[in-house]
């Protein structure tokens, strides 16, 4: 999947169901931050 296709899908998703997209984005951000913090703590 190309980045342009991915961006197009994101824009369509944002316009159709904003609440679900916001919750998913928050989940991804929190999950990524947790992984990064765990990696820093392990060093």
């Amino acid at each position: 999947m190309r980045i342009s296709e991915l961006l197009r899908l994101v824009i369509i998703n944002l316009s159709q169901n904003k609440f679900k997209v916001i919750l998913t984005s928050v989940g991804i951000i929190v999950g990524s931050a947790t992984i990064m913090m765990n990696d820093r703590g392990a060093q």
Side-chain angles (χ1 to χ4, degrees), residues 10-32:
V10 166
I11 291 170
I12 291 170
N13 254 353
L14 273 173
S15 63
Q16 287 180 350
N17 42 7
K18 291 179 180 149
F19 189 66
K20 187 190 285 187
V21 171
I22 289 171
L23 285 179
T24 303
S25 300
V26 168
I28 291 172
I29 291 168
V30 168
S32 299

